[in-house]
Amino acid sequence: MAYRKDSIFKNVDWWTILLYVLLVVCGWFSICGASYDYGDPNFLDFGLRSGKQLMWIACSFGLATVILSLDHRFFDTYAFLIFGILLLLLFATIFNPNEIKGSKSWIVLGPVSIQPAEFAKFGTALALAKFMGEYTYSLSNRKHFMATLAIILLPMFLIIMQKETGSALVYLSFFLMLYREGMPGAILFAGVCAVVYFIVGIKFSIVPMADEVTPWGEFAVLSLIIILTSGLIWVYCKTGRRLALTILGVGLSGIILGVLFSFYVIPFNMVYMLLVMVGVLFLTMIVFFLRERIYSYLYISFFVIGSAVFLFSTDYVFAKVLEPHQKVRIEVLLGMKDDPSGAGYNVNQSKIAIGSGGLLGKGFLNGTQTKLKYVPEQDTDFIFCTVGEEQGFLGSSVVLILYLSLILRLIYLAERQPTRFARVYGYCVMSIFFFHLFINVGMVLGLTPVIGIPLPFFSYGGSSLWGFTILLFVFLRIDAARYGNSDVGY
């Protein structure tokens, strides 16, 4: 048994553990700064958030040690069982009578509150790795792909039912892993297009063009659909490149002639003209598919009609599906509404805090914005503004470099795995960390919507810290077994 443990701790990737410890320690000091009240210098007091976080950190170190001591086969063998248990927890949480800040995602056990959604990421990653690691699995198999989507979307749906949209969106990060495993880039492209359509369609839907009849939003998106369709034909239909050029030439010519006619002859709503062009484009793709039996034309026809339907459904989604506070946040982010004392308050105060830090920062515990509590949630979702104010541009850069190093290290570890199970899980871990970092920092800087997700190892809270620790150290335990040793290998 002693030999087994020595081998595990000898083979574990200590560089990643070092990055983990540095981030956790830096995070604790940031929480001290964010939660500090003048006259309360005792950061070890368990009655304060700094003291509680220190206790969570100590527990997470113990948790990491336990995970590294387990047999690596445990995670492969019980992946689906772990996933099932966590799904049951998510389902039970929906009916939880305890509501915290409008969310029912917490289970309250006396003085301790636990958020199962944070642990479900680890369970979902394990289930994906187990399912995709099967010898007969193929991402190109339609049944396998649909089952993979079900594993991702089921916990997302349960979390949305808990009114925790931010945590649910994190599960979209698994599509980065699917792309690495062979998912067509067209699916990611379609996702990017959906975001662009939504932003342009919503932001400019009520902005008229110079003819005072045509709305800019619909005009821009429908024109973009025609241009992108010609590009897709060029890339995916090698025999249809002449068709792609024809569609692009005819489409642009029709758009230009329509603009000139509406501006200088008789104003008319050019959206109807573009809808006719998109309809003709859809029928053209169907005809070429039936004639040449090339499925790329069929998929492109889905893209054309799906893009048009999505565009005209955005208004309904924005007005009827999104919660009022979500609508206001998007309007503020897109510059459609100025609400510095309401929905835009958090971001504005965060920007002020970061900007006031300058190059070198104001120093530990010397941040005025955070000490005077101008920034709400400054030790949880907006913890990065404390780093910017107290440590300045240089300190913030060091923190971002540490995160970048961790993400690059995880990619390196994932690529060296001898099994698909290990590689898939590794990329799941990397994708989750990347998504949290990108959205959280972007949220604090006003570049992404405020959706309320923590910054890994920095934000206050035991659930998030434990969830990220389990996620990371399960991968380190699996990685430590890659050598094929009878005690620690595959």
Side-chain angles (χ1 to χ4, degrees):
M1 181 63 68
Y3 171 75
R4 177 179 179 272
K5 291 184 178 180
D6 290 344
S7 300
I8 291 171
F9 289 101
K10 178 181 179 181
N11 295 332
V12 75
D13 188 73
W14 288 102
W15 286 111
T16 304
I17 293 178
L18 176 62
L19 291 170
Y20 165 78
V21 172
L22 288 174
L23 287 170
V24 168
V25 171
C26 291
W28 183 73
F29 279 105
S30 297
I31 290 172
C32 290
S35 60
Y36 171 72
D37 286 322
Y38 291 110
D40 292 327
N42 185 11
F43 297 123
L44 303 182
D45 184 354
F46 289 148
L48 303 176
R49 286 203 161 189
S50 56
K52 291 179 181 178
Q53 187 70 8
L54 194 62
M55 179 180 65
W56 297 129
I57 291 172
C59 292
S60 68
F61 286 166
L63 188 60
T65 304
V66 171
I67 291 173
L68 291 178
S69 300
L70 291 174
D71 191 313
H72 69 278
R73 301 177 188 87
F74 174 86
F75 306 107
D76 189 344
T77 304
Y78 297 104
F80 289 138
L81 178 61
I82 294 171
F83 180 61
I85 292 173
L86 289 171
L87 285 181
L88 288 176
L89 272 177
L90 290 177
F91 181 75
T93 309
I94 297 174
F95 306 98
N96 178 22
N98 299 292
E99 189 170 308
I100 299 177
K101 297 180 180 179
S103 171
K104 293 185 177 181
S105 62
W106 297 86
I107 294 178
V108 180
L109 303 173
V112 179
S113 299
I114 298 176
Q115 192 173 23
E118 293 295 335
F119 302 98
K121 301 169 193 174
F122 141 73
T124 305
L126 267 185
L128 285 170
K130 176 68 173 179
F131 182 66
M132 297 177 67
E134 296 294 332
Y135 180 75
T136 58
Y137 180 86
S138 174
L139 199 58
S140 59
N141 183 299
R142 192 170 302 172
K143 292 182 179 179
H144 290 172
F145 183 67
M146 295 305 294
T148 303
L149 290 182
I151 293 174
I152 297 173
L153 297 179
L154 183 55
M156 277 188 68
F157 173 75
L158 294 176
I159 294 172
I160 289 174
M161 293 296 291
Q162 300 170 4
K163 299 181 180 180
E164 190 67 25
T165 309
S167 296
L169 290 176
V170 174
Y171 287 75
L172 296 178
S173 64
F174 290 123
F175 282 88
L176 294 176
M177 175 277 295
L178 294 179
Y179 179 70
R180 164 61 183 84
E181 293 301 312
M183 183 183 72
I187 296 179
L188 282 182
F189 175 76
V192 173
C193 287
V195 174
V196 174
Y197 296 161
F198 185 84
I199 293 175
V200 175
I202 292 296
K203 184 176 176 65
F204 300 103
S205 61
I206 59 175
V207 180
M209 296 179 67
D211 61 3
E212 298 184 353
V213 178
T214 307
W216 258 116
E218 285 83 350
F219 175 85
V221 173
L222 290 171
S223 300
L224 188 60
I225 291 172
I226 296 172
I227 296 171
L228 292 176
T229 300
S230 64
L232 290 173
I233 296 172
W234 180 275
V235 173
Y236 291 103
C237 305
K238 302 301 182 183
T239 61
R241 291 189 168 180
R242 182 177 298 179
L243 174 64
L245 294 176
T246 301
I247 290 173
L248 182 62
V250 173
L252 291 178
S253 299
I255 293 170
I256 293 172
L257 290 174
V259 169
L260 293 175
F261 188 84
S262 184
F263 282 13
Y264 300 106
V265 183
I266 301 175
F268 72 101
N269 192 338
M270 287 182 284
V271 169
Y272 297 112
M273 176 196 72
L274 289 170
L275 279 174
V276 172
M277 295 173 66
V278 168
V280 172
L281 185 56
F282 170 73
L283 293 176
T284 302
M285 294 298 98
I286 295 296
V287 169
F288 269 80
F289 164 67
L290 295 175
R291 191 177 71 181
E292 301 187 13
R293 297 297 178 179
I294 298 176
Y295 276 89
S296 295
Y297 287 115
L298 181 62
Y299 297 144
I300 294 173
S301 71
F302 292 158
F303 170 80
V304 173
I305 195 66
S307 296
V309 171
F310 181 84
L311 169 63
F312 290 98
S313 67
T314 52
D315 286 336
Y316 175 81
V317 172
F318 193 70
K320 302 295 184 180
V321 177
L322 295 181
E323 298 289 338
H325 69 278
Q326 295 170 334
K327 290 170 53 179
V328 174
R329 287 174 180 177
I330 293 176
E331 288 173 336
V332 171
L333 177 68
L334 297 180
M336 300 168 61
K337 179 181 292 187
D338 187 19
D339 190 16
S341 60
Y345 179 80
N346 290 23
V347 175
N348 287 335
Q349 294 300 323
S350 175
K351 289 179 181 178
I352 293 172
I354 293 175
S356 66
L359 179 64
L360 300 176
K362 298 177 180 178
F364 183 56
L365 303 183
N366 292 325
T368 53
Q369 288 292 113
T370 50
K371 298 304 154 295
L372 297 176
K373 312 301 181 185
Y374 282 116
V375 185
E377 310 297 338
Q378 61 189 22
D379 53 2
T380 53
D381 298 341
F382 283 82
I383 187 71
F384 192 72
C385 72
T386 304
V387 180
E389 184 179 29
E390 294 189 347
Q391 310 306 323
F393 176 78
L394 290 181
S396 301
S397 298
V398 170
V399 170
L400 292 178
I401 289 172
L402 287 175
Y403 276 115
L404 177 61
S405 300
L406 176 63
I407 290 171
L408 292 177
R409 188 67 185 176
L410 289 174
I411 293 175
Y412 168 75
L413 296 182
E415 285 295 331
R416 76 180 183 182
Q417 299 306 310
T419 66
R420 185 190 291 171
F421 170 83
R423 185 179 69 244
V424 167
Y425 184 80
Y427 269 100
C428 286
V429 175
M430 183 280 299
S431 299
I432 291 172
F433 279 116
F434 175 78
F435 188 91
H436 272 270
L437 175 65
F438 179 80
I439 295 297
N440 184 277
V441 174
M443 179 179 72
V444 170
L445 297 177
L447 301 177
T448 59
V450 178
I451 61 174
I453 61 174
L455 185 63
F457 310 127
F458 264 68
S459 295
Y460 169 80
S463 292
S464 64
L465 178 59
W466 284 17
F468 289 124
T469 298
I470 293 172
L471 194 69
L472 178 63
F473 277 85
V474 167
F475 180 47
L476 292 180
R477 178 62 190 91
I478 294 172
D479 174 70
R482 72 189 183 279
Y483 291 108
N485 184 280
S486 59
D487 288 311
V488 298
Y490 288 99

